[in-house]
Amino acid sequence: MSTTSDAGPGTHWDVIVVGAGAGGMSTAIFAARSGARVLVIDAAPEEGGALHLATGQLSAAGTRLQRSKGIEDTPEAHFADIVRISKDTADRELAWLAVSNAAATIDWLLDDLGMPVLPEHPVRGQNHEHYSQDRYYWGPDLGRSILAAVRAPLRELIGSGAVTARFGTEVVGLVQDPAEAGGRVTGVVTRPTGDAKAGREEHRGANVVLATGGYNADPALFQKMNGVRAYADASYRFAKGAGHRLGVEAGGYTRNHDLYLCSFGSVLDHDEFPAPVLCRPVHWPEMRMPWEIYVNVEGLRFVAEDEPSVDVREHALLRQTDLRRYIVLDERMLREAPPMIPGWSADDVRARAGRHPMFHVADDLRTLAEAAGIDAGNLVATVEEYNACLDGKDPLGREFRPLPLAEAPFYAIRVQGMSITSTAGLAVDAGLRVVRPDGTAVPGLYAIGELLGSGAFMGNSFCGGMLATPAMTFGRLLGDRILTW
């Protein structure tokens, strides 16, 4: 455990921030600049949270960068895109609060803090459903670009004593005063991370902000909250749902459990879940048209492989057994098609076929299916139907069909639908106060960031830049205003 000042448990803080990721760092910076006495606590040994490994995608409308490039955009247009892409399943109040204040966040990052973005940015989209305007940004070092920019002012405030930080410290409980109206939260209880036998300390504060991130590093909690297994081991290791537990124990509740969505998938290194990601085949037609077919465990095609909407493809996979699909191809496709896995050659695929648990090869389709765990009869029929329709209309409406699937050997690559974002999250009101099921606020307790759940900002779809940007935007708003609310 490290403490950056001599302020001990007896100090009374204006703001205690639990979590030093994108949202927590922003809260601490702006609260300190507003004159608050700030304590930041994080279970990790340093600040940054999931920014250490996140893509760091950002989105905002009406930024200075857009204007400098002649791009006319408005928060209203951004909000309309969120409603469209999410099919109106995002929380309108929170989504509007985020996008209507996002431009100031991006201007702060890029202009005040000097964070670089890729030279062609902003863009309309990549990997996710496209926006109607160029408002999508990220830095050359992904999430670490944000971290480098925001860490500098935070460390300056820590060095000056305006912010006190305790890293390697976990919050194991909240202090609530039953004598105050509504059971006001008046502090936190801490101990060194992972040391259940260590003594506990109590820190008192007028306001507590939970910014602990998601729950994706806890497989049991992931399944409980999302209703599906945690297939991939690709999450920030401290994202274990601490803030969810603390908020619920204080009287709050979680919501949006029904909005889970998986990506269109990655190839995992093994099937003892959660498993590390081995590679991610390109499945975006705008980047590489698919020569192969996709089938489910039942051996059936379930979506047009060249379907232009990534949202349609993702929702189609969500309905398949175990969120699983197989890329099925033949030797000629492997030989002639552009590489489907970035950085891999056809020989790299051949080298793993029959040796890696996710790569299978056989001289006939029935043997291939049996090796891969696909229904053999259906796979044979599916390939026969696909080949027979090449000169006519594809049953699923696919248009790009350059080759029949006919030349042995045949290959099947198992791809697993997955997500490393937390869909469900603590319920808050427009003031970012944690609320109870009856809608009343828990006094003195706030929550921001991924702790609110991706479902709040994106509904049951993936909207580019709508995790890191709202986290920092809400941190900035809360830090600015918390002393006056």
Side-chain angles (χ1 to χ4, degrees), residues 20-373:
M25 288 192 293
S26 302
T27 304
I29 290 167
F30 283 88
R33 289 178 176 176
S34 297
R37 301 183 59 162
V38 181
L39 172 64
V40 176
I41 303 170
D42 198 291
E46 63 177 335
E47 72 274 46
L51 290 176
H52 287 284
L53 47 80
T55 56
Q57 296 167 345
L58 304 166
S59 60
T63 65
R64 293 188 195 119
L65 179 60
Q66 283 180 309
R67 291 195 294 273
S68 73
K69 294 190 173 186
I71 300 169
E72 296 183 6
D73 198 10
T74 65
E76 289 78 9
H78 192 178
F79 180 72
D81 277 347
I82 298 300
V83 173
R84 170 181 59 83
I85 295 170
S86 75
K87 298 170 287 294
D88 206 9
T89 57
D91 183 303
R92 280 179 166 249
E93 186 173 56
L94 291 180
W96 172 248
L97 182 65
V99 301
S100 62
N101 291 281
T105 300
I106 300 301
D107 291 345
W108 171 60
L109 275 174
L110 274 55
D111 299 339
D112 299 348
L113 303 186
M115 187 194 112
V117 297
L118 295 178
E120 68 273 19
H121 284 199
V123 295
R124 297 203 176 199
Q126 183 174 322
N127 301 343
H128 302 308
E129 204 76 5
H130 287 194
Y131 284 120
S132 61
Q133 187 53 275
D134 297 334
R135 67 170 74 98
Y136 193 24
Y137 324 67
W138 56 90
D141 204 19
L142 303 177
R144 291 179 293 275
S145 293
I146 300 173
L147 174 57
V150 180
R151 171 189 276 160
L154 177 65
R155 289 190 172 180
E156 183 178 337
L157 289 165
I158 291 172
S160 71
V163 172
T164 293
R166 284 177 169 250
F167 299 118
T169 303
E170 58 184 327
V171 174
V172 295
L174 299 177
V175 180
Q176 283 184 276
D177 190 342
E180 291 200 33
R184 183 178 187 86
V185 172
T186 58
V188 302
V189 179
T190 67
R191 71 181 181 199
T193 299
D195 190 351
K197 296 181 180 179
R200 300 187 178 196
E201 292 183 347
E202 190 173 293
H203 305 269
R204 292 283 181 160
N207 303 281
V208 174
V209 179
L210 299 177
T212 54
Y215 47 74
N216 302 298
D218 184 327
L221 185 57
F222 184 97
Q223 183 153 10
K224 178 181 177 181
M225 299 288 271
N226 292 338
V228 301
R229 294 185 69 174
Y231 288 106
D233 180 13
S235 301
Y236 182 57
R237 67 188 180 95
F238 292 98
K240 295 186 176 181
H244 299 77
R245 175 182 58 79
L246 292 169
V248 170
E249 288 176 354
Y253 72 101
T254 57
R255 59 185 175 182
N256 296 328
H257 301 264
D258 60 330
L259 297 179
Y260 175 80
L261 179 63
C262 64
S263 72
F264 205 54
S266 298
V267 178
L268 303 183
D269 197 43
H270 54 73
D271 54 9
E272 295 179 8
F273 305 123
V277 173
L278 175 67
C279 62
R280 192 175 191 184
V282 176
H283 60 78
W284 298 275
E286 65 268 27
M287 299 180 188
R288 174 195 180 272
M289 275 292 187
W291 292 46
E292 312 79 17
I293 65 169
Y294 306 151
V295 302
N296 55 22
V297 174
E298 290 75 28
L300 305 173
R301 293 173 64 214
F302 57 92
V303 69
E305 291 82 357
D306 60 353
E307 162 60 50
S309 169
V310 62
D311 187 68
V312 169
R313 299 194 303 272
E314 288 165 343
H315 278 274
L317 183 59
L318 185 66
R319 297 189 292 270
Q320 308 311 309
T321 302
D322 297 329
L323 312 184
R324 188 171 301 163
R325 67 182 173 96
Y326 294 83
I327 301 172
V328 179
L329 64 156
D330 70 355
E331 179 60 32
R332 185 179 176 189
M333 291 176 179
L334 182 62
R335 184 175 64 248
E336 297 183 10
M340 78 178 89
I341 299 174
W344 287 33
S345 67
D347 283 341
D348 291 325
V349 175
R350 293 187 188 100
R352 289 169 175 81
R355 297 177 179 87
H356 190 281
M358 304 301 167
F359 292 80
H360 305 278
V361 62
D363 289 332
D364 64 89
L365 290 169
R366 185 171 293 277
T367 303
L368 179 73
E370 291 170 352

Side-chain angles (χ1 to χ4, degrees), residues 433-462:
R433 301 176 299 176
V434 175
V435 295
R436 303 181 179 91
D438 65 3
T440 61
V442 179
L445 185 62
Y446 301 83
I448 62 169
E450 192 175 348
L451 177 56
L452 305 186
S454 63
F457 308 111
M458 302 189 282
N460 65 354
S461 296
F462 295 122

